[in-house]
Amino acid sequence: MKKAGKKWFAFDFEEEKSSESASLYEPPPDLLKKSNNYDLPVVNKRSFNFYRHLTPKTVADLAVHPKKINEVELWLQNNVCNKPKNCQTARFLLITGPTGSGKTSTIRVLCDSMSVDLSEWVNPMDQDFEVFRGPNQVTRFAEFLTEAKWNSLFSHGNKKIILVEEFPNALIRSPQEFMNVLEDCYYKGNYPIVFICTDSCDNRSNLSQVLFPQEIRDKYSIAHISFNSCAATLMKNALKRAHGLVQDNLDLFRTPSPSTVTAIIATSMGDIRCAINQYYFASLLGTSDLPTKIDKVVKKIGNKRKRGDNASSVQSMSRDETLDLFHGLGRVLNPKRQDVGNSWRFACDIDKLIDEFSTQPSIFTAFLFENYIKYFGDVKDASEASEILSCSQTFLEKWVDRHDVLIFALWVSVLGLMVHNEHRVSRWNPITGPKKIQKRINSDPRTRNLSVTDLFYCNIINKSGKQQFNTDT
């Protein structure tokens, strides 16, 4: 501003609008009347989020087996909604499963339906702040788990859980440091914590085994729920929802052919996230159907093999060759041999079989213990196999802390059953799960290092004083 005499003059620095510039900025009236017909579809095309509309909102939208949903819901009921008032320690839940099996979606949908607040840990990216002036990720991770006691203004009450799907890299490199954080959370935590780990064939990247070994699960009473790959029927239902979304927005998408949908289901191998991504690419406007290839299918009827209908699969998707638990048990309990000159060899790759199940040797051996007798047609072969399994069980019980010894025990179990099964029973037998025996840890420091025999005599000596020690290990 500038003062001239007794008056103040205000300077206007804005651009003067001439008649020509006004015509550039102001649309004609007839275009304003038709703006609803021309502008809105363009905005919808740019802002339409296919995945957000397809995110499960209710339990019926989940492509997860109802049994697994009921297990997670039961845990939330017992540990969050109906939590005992005298409980002084935090409750932990470990959810494992292959990628795209619906682990995170199940937790989010159930928490929303049960009015449970969800607080999720996300690894921070401000590394410079950590180096120069602030605490590191491990410190903030521990503080988040132990001091997350303030609820949001939009919370539903005191019902809250903490979700951890991302782990700081420092804890992955140093599992012992994670054990210290877990112990602090066990005694100082205010809310239940849910850990989600994706299964992996590599022992170094399998977080469920690296961070949560069996002794840690027993020590802190960590509940474990294992998800399976998405079944073909459930995947079809999920793709039906995607098909309905495409039909409602035909101006934005095109409908994929039924052969393409069948190829996506066959090639995704139970990964619902991968199937949704492939369906989205196949439904984009201006694109052709996904390239597929024909796979020959051979059906076995009695003792004869008959060529069945050909199945198609997507060429751009590599087939997952990893074995699940039941296929691995079938290859061990019903081994196939190939004649090589005057000798023979196993038809499967045993090294690959051991490597895929090296993360859970105790569970795999327990399944073999429960089902091996049904696949042996000779008593002598079954007797030798039982001796082999007893030997491997000794290694599994006495050397729990040494993973290399556990792998050796798995080798003994697998090779022992496959070699000694000379008269195998080639018929369908149902696989039964091992009986769950709850182990109690001896916490008395006076008898912690004693053997079972010494504990037995110690109880006899102290019987008169009514001081009994636990003999379970």
Side-chain angles (χ1 to χ4, degrees):
M1 288 187 178
K2 182 179 180 182
K3 187 174 182 181
K6 296 182 179 181
K7 296 182 180 180
W8 291 88
F9 293 96
F11 295 95
D12 187 6
F13 295 97
E14 296 181 1
E15 184 180 359
E16 295 183 0
K17 296 183 180 180
S18 60
S19 59
E20 296 180 357
S21 61
S23 62
L24 295 176
Y25 290 101
E26 298 179 2
D30 57 345
L31 184 59
L32 289 176
K33 295 180 181 179
K34 299 180 180 181
S35 60
N36 294 330
N37 299 330
Y38 289 93
D39 294 343
L40 290 180
V42 176
V43 175
N44 287 337
K45 287 184 178 181
R46 294 180 179 179
S47 61
F48 187 84
N49 192 330
F50 180 81
Y51 297 97
R52 183 173 60 85
H53 286 78
L54 207 60
T55 302
K57 302 295 189 305
T58 61
V59 177
D61 298 337
L62 293 173
V64 183
H65 196 278
K67 181 180 178 181
K68 299 301 177 181
I69 298 177
N70 294 335
E71 290 180 4
V72 178
E73 185 178 6
L74 181 61
W75 186 88
L76 292 175
Q77 287 284 356
N78 297 334
N79 299 276
V80 181
C81 299
N82 302 325
K83 182 180 179 181
K85 297 182 180 180
N86 56 354
C87 182
Q88 302 296 330
T89 57
R91 302 300 178 92
F92 300 135
L93 173 62
L94 174 63
I95 299 179
T96 60
T99 176
S101 56
K103 303 182 292 295
T104 307
S105 300
T106 302
I107 285 291
R108 294 186 182 278
V109 170
L110 289 178
C111 288
D112 185 61
S113 63
M114 302 170 65
S115 300
V116 177
D117 294 331
L118 186 65
S119 179
E120 183 178 1
W121 163 262
V122 179
N123 286 334
M125 302 299 295
D126 48 349
Q127 298 180 359
D128 296 337
F129 181 78
E130 297 176 4
V131 174
F132 295 105
R133 58 178 93 167
N136 54 18
Q137 287 189 6
V138 177
T139 303
R140 282 192 280 181
F141 180 73
E143 292 178 353
F144 179 82
L145 299 183
T146 56
E147 300 180 4
K149 57 185 178 181
W150 306 111
N151 294 330
S152 173
L153 296 176
F154 305 98
S155 62
H156 300 88
N158 294 327
K159 295 187 297 183
K160 177 182 177 181
I161 66 170
I162 300 175
L163 178 63
V164 178
E165 194 172 4
E166 299 179 1
F167 296 87
N169 293 330
L171 297 181
I172 299 176
R173 292 191 296 265
S174 178
Q176 184 59 39
E177 194 170 357
F178 177 76
M179 308 304 174
N180 299 333
V181 174
L182 197 63
E183 185 173 3
D184 292 340
C185 298
Y186 184 71
Y187 293 105
K188 300 178 182 179
N190 299 293
Y191 296 99
I193 304 176
V194 178
F195 300 98
I196 296 180
C197 297
T198 303
D199 292 340
S200 175
C201 296
D202 190 2
N203 296 331
R204 294 173 296 180
S205 60
N206 195 344
L207 299 182
S208 62
Q209 184 65 28
V210 174
L211 301 180
F212 301 94
Q214 190 61 41
E215 59 270 16
I216 295 299
R217 300 180 191 180
D218 297 337
K219 181 178 180 181
Y220 298 110
S221 302
I222 302 177
H224 180 213
I225 299 176
S226 179
F227 277 49
N228 301 322
S229 300
C230 181
T233 306
L234 298 175
M235 189 172 295
K236 288 180 181 179
N237 296 334
L239 292 183
K240 284 182 180 179
R241 295 182 58 243
H243 178 75
L245 184 62
V246 169
Q247 291 295 322
D248 295 338
N249 300 273
L250 290 177
D251 56 334
L252 305 177
F253 302 99
R254 56 180 292 271
T255 304
S257 62
S259 60
T260 302
V261 177
T262 304
I264 291 174
I265 296 175
T267 321
S268 58
M269 295 298 295
D271 190 345
I272 185 64
R273 185 185 298 111
C274 180
I276 293 298
N277 290 336
Q278 291 293 325
Y279 189 89
Y280 175 73
F281 293 143
S283 62
L284 292 176
L285 287 177
T287 60
S288 58
D289 289 339
L290 297 178
T292 59
K293 59 181 180 179
I294 304 299
D295 299 331
K296 294 182 179 180
V297 178
V298 179
K299 296 182 179 180
K300 187 176 181 182
I301 303 177
N303 296 327
K304 298 181 180 180
R305 291 179 177 268
K306 183 180 179 181
R307 180 173 298 178
D309 299 333
N310 293 332
S312 59
S313 59
V314 182
Q315 291 184 357
S316 59
M317 298 173 60
S318 59
R319 189 177 183 87
D320 190 2
E321 298 295 339
T322 57
L323 294 175
D324 58 4
L325 178 62
F326 296 102
H327 284 86
L329 291 173
R331 294 192 177 184
V332 176
L333 297 175
N334 194 9
K336 297 181 180 179
R337 302 182 179 184
Q338 295 178 348
D339 295 332
V340 182
N342 297 328
S343 182
W344 57 269
R345 66 179 181 182
F346 292 113
C348 65
D349 189 355
I350 303 180
D351 292 330
K352 183 179 179 181
L353 178 66
I354 295 295
D355 183 65
E356 291 182 357
F357 295 99
S358 59
T359 58
Q360 45 186 0
S362 301
I363 298 177
F364 194 79
T365 306
F367 270 92
L368 295 178
F369 243 119
E370 191 70 24
N371 299 274
Y372 80 98
I373 197 66
K374 297 179 292 186
Y375 292 85
F376 280 76
D378 187 75
V379 177
K380 184 178 179 181
D381 295 346
S383 176
E384 294 176 351
S386 63
E387 294 291 338
I388 293 294
L389 289 176
S390 300
C391 179
S392 65
Q393 190 65 27
T394 303
F395 287 100
L396 293 174
E397 290 180 354
K398 293 186 177 296
W399 285 278
V400 180
D401 299 333
R402 295 187 56 181
H403 187 69
D404 54 343
V405 179
L406 300 182
I407 299 301
F408 174 76
L410 184 61
W411 272 100
V412 172
S413 302
V414 171
L415 287 179
L417 292 183
M418 297 178 69
V419 171
H420 290 292
N421 195 359
E422 297 285 347
H423 307 82
R424 58 190 178 92
V425 178
S426 297
R427 68 166 180 259
W428 181 83
N429 290 308
I431 297 295
T432 57
K435 297 180 180 178
K436 296 182 179 181
I437 301 176
Q438 186 176 3
K439 295 183 179 181
R440 292 181 294 174
I441 300 176
N442 185 15
S443 58
D444 196 326
R446 296 172 296 175
T447 60
R448 184 177 301 170
N449 297 325
L450 295 180
S451 62
V452 178
T453 305
D454 295 337
L455 284 174
F456 175 76
Y457 289 109
C458 184
N459 288 330
I460 294 178
I461 296 173
N462 294 278
K463 187 175 182 180
S464 59
K466 298 182 180 180
Q467 185 176 5
Q468 298 290 320
F469 299 102
N470 182 18
T471 58
D472 296 334
T473 56

